[in-house]
């Protein structure tokens, strides 16, 4: 059995009603899913105390392919704040728990593919990890159905006379499945003659790459969800006019499919910290954060809400702040940048298979990557930042000390966090440092990378130069035409969502460290009118991953008593 | 608002814990899904009283395209038995309710397409009908994911070297979606060059047409499920050897995805009769019944279990008895054949748009259809049968009287049932007639249409001649070769599942009434090794329906408070 699964199976879960009661929710307020999961109805969230707690955003330096442990750190930090509250006997504040979590739901793609589950690790996990990792409360299935209903209704419209004059060569909606399925990356559908519909090219995406997922995660109510769904542009007419979900009459049925899913899911950490685990869009072609409803629910029921954003801070945190936080009217009081000795050595030039060996010099050589993320958060966005060192067994004391010393010289607090091995108690120092940083800064006013009034090209340039430190941006003539078209159509004031590799500040994933003066070449731009952003594609973006030769699915099993094995 | 939705929204649901308690289940025994739905864990079912109640199977004469109301009659009959028990003060028997229901889960295909929901109608409904009709507890989504994982792993295997030497021209697994999506009936996938996988033809089915659905509905435990999944033949090698789910290593992960779904769902009727609503395979290429676990759960917790089988008795009841009941070791004590004045006139030759007009002569002319279904059930299967006349507003008293009189002359009890308008009280006469028929017959021993030891061809011939009254069966040379191959491979002792039109005893849907001497032409045969039957395809079988020009999805909506409209 994997270590994560073993630790999870030894944990004593509380009844979800008890977790709900710990934030003042009655049994009738929650929608139970078994005895250890629940949804909180939007009506209950709406009626709750509007005096929200403060927000802590967990992000990371540019990651190695293995990931640096943002989710685990988020869980450990929330558990640790609750531990600090206990140690320091915090006074009761309006029925709120000291800390509540908001996380993304795992996609089945990585669970069955390579990465494994996404419910934390070691002693910093959300539970029941088997359910959370294995399609949970069915939210992603509902999102996939809603997306695929729109696609089916679009093709059906073309089959039955095509009154809207949809151009089959200009369809942008793709069907989705919540699996890694390479063979669906490019397909021809509508084959087989008249009864097979209108032939056309198609491609399937993984559900987390869909605009419906992004819409779901930005919606603040069922009405808002339905309006956003209605605005999604599915295709263009032969005259190039947009054809929306509303035009084909699918918004109501899609929202009906999503009405239960939209209520955030409540679970618990191993240490019984309430955790809202809800939504999970990609951090490249979408904004990469859990749902606005989950984050604001965590702020409603916690004095501190701990949340995370996908990939490194240049992608995840930037989108969290410029897209999600701006749309939702929230702003973090502090950020945590997760760094690892391993990732620093990687950015200092060490090869992947030599990361286990001590190399203080390479670690120092990798520091510019971390420093730039710190500068971006502190100076561009004006938010205090603390570095959490997610310690791995191969890290040496000399390496960790060198890192802490180097950052101290910059005036940055870096704390070694041992939540993986020790749970919340192992991250108490981190929690105290984060809380101190937040207290010192009071509540910073939002500072965005760009104003919405800037042109779409200016907004892309602002992110490229201010966050990525590119020398400039290249827009091909086709991209320029599309940006002009989106602006003409009234989408010019949307924020921008840049899709690029997470491994580098540049668009070249092998360019480690802190490159500058590079060029951001925008290959394509896409409109996500429902989610409310324009995506700038820079480099190869995979919206349908493939399975590896030996996928994790081969090892996953269940016995006759329902016990899962092989999940990690 | 539709009448069904209006009646449903006025019903006062009991908490699902109270419904569970009414059959002796404690709160900890059930897995709640909200306050009005639950799953009963297999461990609880295993531990329950093995002294099962008796079974009543609801089936129908050959239907008109509108359907004759089997689900509604099943619900009304179960409510009526509970009403009879109350009126007659039945003594308490081992904590069992007098009647418990077992029904299929609705597919989203018809919900968004043409037929609408499938949770009964009028005052005979299972509730909450909006949830039950709109992906419910997520079972079908889990089944779709499990099926699609197998397909993805198969294509992935071919992409990564194809060690098993799978022939891309001989792949039988199809990806599925729980929607009507015509454009996916025929597709080419694996396009786009090397990174898009191996190019091949593909086709998508609706999830209810998948073998995984059939397997799910026949499984008796998680181990049995996993073994059946492992036996599913996905493809053939270039040497024509079968490639199974077990061969590609997907059975464990598929079972892990299905482990929560396999527990039957418990809901209630408007009159608070416990109802297990679980599974729902097609009645043409699969066996068309709710899950074995749901049916046996209803027998565990009810003195009488009422269940249904899809389409007319020649398809649904035959498969229920020869496939499901044989596999599960159960047998009904009585059957109810649902007949309508409308369907009798249709089989008597009246055109569809003239069915509203009184026509006693045509009704009498249609009787041979109903009589043959009665003979089949009584003589081939040896089960007592009662006719339930599902009365529609346009039916005249003269028509109903003529029907009752004609059947009385045959010695058959026919009862007018008014459960749609009156709930269980409207079907008390039907309940008393069914209970009397069952009491009279004691418990009939199983009598199948054919023994499993007969050859596959003989088994198909037995159904054709004994049930359909065909003059003979035509097997093309290709079909003969495939039957020989299946027999060589050890599948010769499986039962057969005949896929043909439900509108006629013959394979010609326009041949109404009681045709005889026709020829059953078997176009193709397919192996469902996991479900455990060989499918004989006779005629055009649609495994992926299309949406009509004005699909029901256009009218379905949800307001900001989560209230659904337009569902019928």
């Amino acid at each position: 059995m994997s270590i994560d699964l073993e630790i999870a199976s030894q944990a004593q879960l509380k009844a979800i009603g008890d977790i709900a009661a710990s934030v003042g929710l009655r049994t009738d307020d929650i929608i139970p899913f078994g005895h250890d999961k629940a949804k909180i109805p939007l009506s209950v969230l709406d009626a709750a105390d509007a005096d929200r707690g403060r927000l802590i955003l967990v992000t990371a330096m540019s990651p190695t392919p293995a990931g640096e442990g943002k989710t685990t750190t988020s869980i450990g930090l929330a558990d640790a704040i609750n531990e600090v509250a206990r140690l320091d006997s915090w006074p009761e504040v309006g029925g709120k728990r000291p800390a509540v979590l908001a996380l993304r739901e795992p996609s089945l793609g990585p669970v069955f593919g390579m990465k494994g589950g996404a419910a934390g690790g070691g002693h910093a996990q959300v539970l029941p990890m088997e359910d959370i990792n294995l399609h949970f409360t069915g939210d992603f299935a509902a999102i996939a159905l809603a997306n695929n209903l729109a696609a089916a209704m679009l093709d059906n419209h073309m089959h039955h006379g095509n009154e809207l004059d949809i151009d089959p060569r200009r369809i942008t909606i793709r069907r989705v499945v919540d699996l890694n399925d390479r063979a669906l990356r490019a397909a021809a559908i509508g084959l087989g003659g008249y009864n097979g519909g209108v032939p056309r090219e198609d491609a399937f995406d993984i559900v987390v790459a869909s605009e419906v997922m992004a819409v779901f995660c930005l919606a603040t109510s069922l009405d808002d969800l339905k309006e956003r769904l209605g605005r999604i542009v599915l295709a263009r007419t032969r005259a190039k006019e947009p054809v929306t979900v509303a035009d084909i009459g699918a918004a109501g049925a899609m929202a009906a499919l999503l009405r239960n899913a939209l209520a955030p899911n409540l679970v618990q950490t191993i240490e019984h910290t309430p955790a809202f685990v809800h939504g999970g869009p990609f951090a490249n072609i979408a904004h990469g954060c859990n749902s606005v409803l989950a984050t604001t629910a965590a702020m409603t029921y916690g004095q501190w809400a701990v949340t995370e954003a996908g990939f490194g801070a240049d992608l995840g945190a930037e989108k969290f702040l410029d897209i999600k936080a701006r749309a939702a009217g929230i702003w973090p009081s502090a950020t945590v940048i997760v760094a690892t000795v391993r990732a620093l050595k990687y950015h200092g030039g060490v090869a992947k298979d030599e990361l286990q060996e001590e190399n203080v010099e390479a670690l120092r050589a990798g520091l510019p990557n971390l420093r730039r993320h710190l500068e971006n958060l502190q100076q561009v966005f004006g938010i205090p930042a603390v570095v959490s060192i997610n310690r791995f067994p191969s890290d040496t004391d000399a390496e960790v000390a060198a890192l802490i010393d180097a950052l101290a010289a910059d005036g940055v607090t870096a704390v070694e966090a041992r939540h993986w091995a020790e749970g919340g108690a192992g991250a108490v120092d981190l929690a105290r440092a984060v809380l101190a940083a937040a207290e010192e800064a009071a509540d910073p006013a939002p500072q965005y990378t760009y104003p919405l009034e800037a042109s779409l090209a200016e907004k892309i340039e602002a992110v490229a130069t201010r966050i990525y430190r590119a020398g400039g941006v290249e827009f091909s003539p086709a991209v320029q035409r599309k940006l002009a078209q989106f602006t003409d159509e009234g989408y010019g004031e949307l924020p921008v969502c840049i899709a690029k590799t997470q491994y580098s500040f540049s668009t070249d994933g092998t360019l480690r460290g802190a490159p500058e003066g590079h060029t951001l070449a925008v290959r394509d731009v896409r409109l996500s009118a429902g989610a409310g952003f324009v995506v700038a594609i820079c480099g190869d973006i995979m919206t349908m991953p493939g399975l590896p030769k030996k996928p994790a699915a081969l090892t996953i099993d269940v016995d006759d008593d329902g016990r899962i094995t092989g999940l990690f």
Side-chain angles (χ1 to χ4, degrees), chain A:
Chain A
M1 191 180 278
S2 74
I3 293 179
D4 287 353
L5 197 49
E6 195 177 328
I7 293 170
S9 67
Q10 285 163 2
Q12 298 295 317
L13 273 76
K14 288 193 181 177
I16 197 64
D18 293 342
I19 300 296
S22 79
V23 295
L25 291 166
R26 294 163 309 151
T27 306
D28 284 353
D29 288 337
I30 68 172
I31 307 165
F33 274 69
H35 301 288
D36 45 17
K37 304 174 290 294
K39 282 184 168 279
I40 312 300
L42 303 191
S43 58
V44 169
L45 295 177
D46 286 345
D49 182 7
D51 182 23
R52 286 181 180 160
R54 297 171 75 189
L55 184 61
I56 298 165
L57 175 66
V58 176
T59 180
M61 63 182 293
S62 301
T64 64
E68 307 320 307
K70 282 189 305 289
T71 303
T72 306
T73 300
S74 302
I75 296 167
L77 175 60
D79 283 341
I81 294 174
N82 285 324
E83 179 67 6
V84 167
R86 193 186 64 79
L87 292 170
D88 296 0
S89 305
W90 285 12
E92 206 271 331
V93 179
K96 289 183 181 351
R97 283 287 285 271
V100 173
L101 266 171
L103 299 174
R104 286 169 292 172
E105 296 181 59
S107 162
L108 286 169
V111 168
F112 290 130
M114 198 133 63
K115 189 184 162 201
H123 291 270
Q125 295 189 51
V126 283
L127 303 175
M129 78 88 105
E130 303 93 315
D131 286 353
I132 293 171
N133 279 315
L134 290 171
H135 70 125
F136 201 20
T137 56
D139 295 339
F140 285 15
I143 292 167
L145 283 164
N147 179 92
N148 292 345
L149 177 63
M153 289 176 76
L154 184 87
D155 277 305
N156 190 57
H157 179 91
M158 289 197 297
H159 178 72
H160 287 295
N162 198 8
E163 278 174 33
L164 292 169
D165 198 27
I166 294 163
D167 186 340
R169 301 161 302 181
R170 294 184 192 273
I171 293 171
T172 43
I173 176 95
R174 293 173 167 195
R175 287 170 177 81
V176 297
V177 62
D178 190 24
L179 292 170
N180 290 357
D181 197 347
R182 174 189 302 101
L184 299 181
R185 280 180 185 160
I189 64 166
L191 306 182
Y194 182 84
N195 288 321
V198 177
R200 66 179 183 91
E201 274 189 59
D202 199 7
F204 286 65
D205 285 343
I206 191 161
V207 65
V208 289
S210 68
E211 188 178 351
V212 177
M213 174 65 84
V215 160
F216 180 89
C217 289
L218 289 167
T220 54
S221 68
L222 264 172
D223 269 354
D224 182 42
L225 174 74
K226 196 161 62 179
E227 277 167 31
R228 286 173 178 273
L229 291 170
R231 288 198 291 265
I232 293 175
V233 174
L234 303 170
R236 299 266 165 180
T237 65
R238 282 175 207 275
K240 300 193 190 169
E241 296 297 320
V243 177
T244 65
V245 163
D247 292 333
I248 62 157
M254 290 169 73
L257 271 170
L258 293 170
R259 83 189 201 292
N260 291 337
L262 191 62
N265 305 298
L266 178 67
V267 291
Q268 62 192 289
T269 69
I270 289 178
E271 301 185 3
H272 314 302
T273 296
F276 289 97
V277 179
H278 196 227
F282 262 9
N284 46 35
I285 68 152
H287 61 290
C289 319
N290 61 73
S291 73
V292 164
L293 287 165
T295 304
T296 54
M299 294 169 76
T300 296
Y301 298 111
Q303 297 173 44
W304 295 93
V306 179
T307 193
E308 55 162 356
F311 292 163
D314 55 332
L315 285 161
E318 188 275 321
K319 292 171 186 180
F320 181 92
L321 297 165
D322 282 323
I323 298 175
K324 174 178 166 176
R326 175 149 40 191
I330 58 179
W331 197 252
S333 300
T335 59
V336 175
I337 302 189
V338 178
T340 60
V341 165
R342 189 177 63 176
L344 285 159
K345 290 189 286 193
Y346 182 75
H347 284 286
V350 173
K352 242 193 292 187
D353 49 4
E354 289 167 14
L355 292 174
Q356 312 280 333
E357 292 161 34
E358 184 180 87
N359 191 337
V360 173
E361 198 179 338
L363 180 143
R364 289 208 181 96
L367 275 170
N369 181 276
L370 176 56
R371 285 198 176 110
R372 181 175 296 168
H373 288 296
L374 280 161
E375 279 170 31
N376 285 345
L377 289 168
Q378 293 170 328
Q379 289 163 27
V380 177
F381 296 108
I383 309 171
V386 168
V387 172
S388 172
I389 306 169
N390 195 14
R391 181 140 186 186
F392 282 73
S394 62
D395 299 351
T396 67
D397 288 345
E399 288 174 324
V400 172
L403 172 55
I404 291 174
D405 291 349
L407 291 172
D410 299 345
V412 172
T413 306
V415 183
E416 186 186 329
R418 297 180 177 276
H419 46 269
W420 193 95
E422 300 170 21
V428 160
D429 292 347
L430 174 66
R432 290 196 190 279
V434 174
L435 294 172
E439 291 302 341
E440 202 175 307
D443 271 331
Q447 269 176 232
Y448 306 110
T449 309
Y450 50 82
L452 294 179
E453 302 75 43
S455 74
L456 291 169
E458 285 165 351
K459 287 182 269 202
I460 295 168
E461 283 161 352
V463 177
T465 54
R466 301 190 66 194
I467 304 293
Y468 309 155
R469 316 290 171 96
V473 181
E474 262 179 30
F475 300 100
S476 70
V479 165
Q480 288 175 30
R481 276 196 303 275
K482 282 176 92 170
L483 289 176
Q485 183 192 352
F486 296 161
T487 305
D488 286 349
E489 290 169 352
Y491 301 115
E493 297 218 345
L494 294 179
V496 295
C497 178
I498 297 183
K500 71 159 186 65
T501 176
Q502 69 266 39
Y503 300 121
S504 172
F505 278 103
S506 75
T507 54
D508 174 357
T510 66
L511 215 54
R512 307 182 198 175
E516 53 189 354
H518 48 93
T519 299
L520 187 83
V522 181
R523 290 193 336 174
D524 191 15
V525 285
R526 293 187 197 161
L527 177 62
S528 288
F533 48 71
V534 170
V535 181
I537 313 269
C538 310
D540 290 324
I541 298 304
M542 186 67 74
T543 52
M544 172 54 90
L547 290 169
K549 182 159 188 181
K550 301 269 180 215
L554 291 173
T555 66
I556 293 174
D557 203 352
V558 61
D559 71 13
D560 206 38
D561 296 321
R563 271 185 298 263
I564 300 283
T565 48
L567 196 60
F568 61 98

